[in-house]
């Protein structure tokens, strides 16, 4: 059966994540689809519907290809597929930067149309007013500092942060601004390990590392990277826990061979004129039995 996503009492709240500071690390993964959310829900504390979906599932070069509608559609799928994890949906580029009013309107639409527990946006000092306004509207916010994928074009590429004194000072200002604005946690991405560790000790909200430090209060990876499904270059900070590329490729090769040799479909995959179970039960199916499509 599908998880009961309708009961908010089953969900880990943003507030509960906030209380994990300095305790058992928060386990986070991205999710974009219903079946993946179902598979991950029992193992993680937080599912992020990241704007990385634009690259991972839609083939865009950067996360700038994500739209508000795209994030909402994938957020709805992840909510349907999960029951326990705190679900956070990324605010895509262009949906919050202009003004706090724009940010609140976009956040309200995301939460209202998905039922997610929080939203995430990128930036520190420059978006602190937006974070504060969204939090004041009753919507929890996850921050994101360090390497910010939405800014890679203006930044001149994916550049690791924290390698100069000036940049380290900027990271501290961003972390403090996000904390003061009321975020319940903050992602630290692509940042020198010692700097990310120091930032974690410096602020009172949980830090979620990705290409940062093992001392962060939690970790997150893009699920497709983690299971070896990424078809392009995998970042250095990723550990692959499976090799689904090979599994899928081998399965497709076996399927193609059987179709061409006419060994698939076999007798067990086609339908007779009358189902034997229907004959045995007078055409009636008992509650809970699977029908011929494999559905209940």
């Amino acid at each position: 059966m599908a998880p009961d996503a309708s009961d908010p009492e089953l969900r880990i709240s943003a507030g509960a994540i906030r209380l994990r500071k300095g305790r058992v690390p928060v386990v986070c993964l991205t999710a974009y689809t219903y079946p993946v959310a179902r598979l991950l829900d029992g193992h993680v504390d937080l599912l992020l519907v990241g704007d990385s979906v634009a690259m991972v599932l839609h083939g865009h070069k950067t996360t700038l290809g994500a739209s508000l509608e795209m994030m909402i559609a994938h957020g709805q799928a992840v909510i349907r597929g999960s029951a326990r994890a705190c679900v956070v949906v990324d605010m895509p580029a262009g949906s919050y930067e202009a003004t706090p009013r724009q940010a609140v309107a976009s956040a309200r639409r995301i939460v209202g149309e998905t039922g997610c527990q929080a939203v995430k946006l990128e930036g520190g000092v420059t978006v602190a007013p937006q974070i504060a306004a969204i939090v004041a509207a009753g919507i929890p916010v996850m921050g994101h500092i360090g390497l910010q994928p939405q800014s890679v074009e203006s930044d001149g590429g994916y550049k690791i942060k924290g390698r100069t004194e000036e940049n380290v000072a900027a990271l501290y200002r961003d972390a403090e601004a996000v904390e003061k604005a009321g975020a319940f946690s903050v992602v630290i991405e692509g940042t020198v390990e010692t700097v990310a560790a120091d930032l974690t000790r410096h602020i009172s909200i949980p830090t979620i590392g990705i290409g940062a430090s093992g001392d962060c209060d939690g970790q997150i990876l893009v699920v497709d990277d983690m299971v070896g499904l990424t078809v392009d270059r995998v970042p250095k900070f990723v550990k692959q826990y499976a090799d689904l590329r090979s599994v899928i490729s081998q399965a497709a090769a076996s399927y193609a061979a059987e179709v061409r040799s006419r060994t698939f479909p076999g007798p067990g995959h086609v339908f007779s004129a009358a189902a034997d179970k229907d004959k045995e039960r007078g055409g009636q199916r008992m509650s809970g039995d699977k029908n011929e499509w494999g559905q209940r």
Side-chain angles (χ1 to χ4, degrees):
M1 292 179 65
D4 181 8
S6 63
D7 186 354
E9 296 300 319
L10 296 176
R11 295 276 181 187
I12 296 173
S13 67
I17 298 294
R18 169 70 178 82
L19 293 174
R20 294 279 288 274
K21 177 70 179 180
R23 301 174 67 184
V24 177
V26 183
V27 180
C28 313
L29 282 169
T30 65
Y32 318 113
T33 64
Y34 171 84
V36 169
R38 288 195 64 176
L39 291 171
L40 301 182
D41 190 47
H43 304 285
V44 303
D45 304 304
L46 186 148
L47 290 172
L48 173 65
V49 186
D51 56 2
S52 49
V53 67
M55 302 171 69
V56 174
L57 295 189
H58 295 271
H60 290 278
K61 295 291 185 182
T62 70
T63 62
L64 297 178
S67 65
L68 202 55
E69 290 72 24
M70 182 187 294
M71 299 312 304
I72 288 170
H74 288 285
Q76 290 169 339
V78 170
I79 283 289
R80 294 187 197 108
S82 60
R84 174 183 172 275
C86 178
V87 176
V88 180
V89 176
D90 255 337
M91 299 185 72
S95 69
Y96 62 90
E97 301 95 320
T99 63
R101 183 174 182 178
Q102 179 206 31
V104 170
S106 296
R108 280 178 171 157
R109 184 178 171 195
I110 290 171
V111 173
E113 295 186 32
T114 68
C116 68
Q117 282 64 63
V119 296
K120 181 174 80 66
L121 53 78
E122 295 183 10
V125 173
T126 59
V127 297
Q130 282 87 333
I131 294 173
I134 296 171
V135 171
I139 298 171
V141 176
M142 172 181 274
H144 185 143
I145 64 173
L147 191 156
Q148 297 166 36
Q150 292 179 7
S151 301
V152 292
E153 291 186 356
S154 59
D155 229 12
Y158 293 89
K159 297 181 178 179
I160 301 303
K161 305 300 181 181
R163 285 179 168 162
T164 67
E165 289 186 9
E166 181 181 2
N167 187 236
V168 170
L171 285 167
Y172 270 83
R173 289 193 295 271
D174 282 342
E176 292 168 355
V178 168
E179 175 188 29
K180 185 177 180 180
F184 73 92
S185 64
V186 60
V187 170
I188 302 178
E189 180 171 359
T191 297
V192 170
E193 195 277 334
T194 53
V195 177
D198 288 343
L199 287 170
T200 297
R201 290 186 284 269
H202 182 68
I203 60 176
S204 64
I205 59 175
T207 60
I208 308 298
I210 177 167
S213 171
D215 287 341
C216 288
D217 298 297
Q219 299 294 327
I220 189 167
L221 285 175
V222 170
V223 67
D224 295 65
D225 292 343
M226 189 271 289
V227 299
L229 195 55
T230 304
V231 296
D232 298 317
R233 185 182 68 85
V234 177
K236 173 185 176 180
F237 57 76
V238 172
K239 179 176 179 178
Q240 294 188 350
Y241 289 81
D243 181 14
L244 293 194
R245 289 190 306 276
S246 295
V247 172
I248 292 173
S249 180
Q250 291 167 6
S254 297
Y255 167 73
E258 290 191 8
V259 169
R260 289 169 183 142
S261 65
R262 295 191 184 278
T263 55
F264 177 82
H269 305 106
V270 294
F271 303 104
S272 59
D276 291 338
K277 286 185 180 180
D278 283 347
K279 290 180 180 180
E280 293 170 5
R281 301 179 185 181
Q284 299 295 315
R285 293 203 176 276
M286 297 180 68
S287 176
D289 282 352
K290 288 184 178 180
N291 65 26
E292 290 186 281
W293 295 107
Q295 298 173 324
R296 292 191 184 279

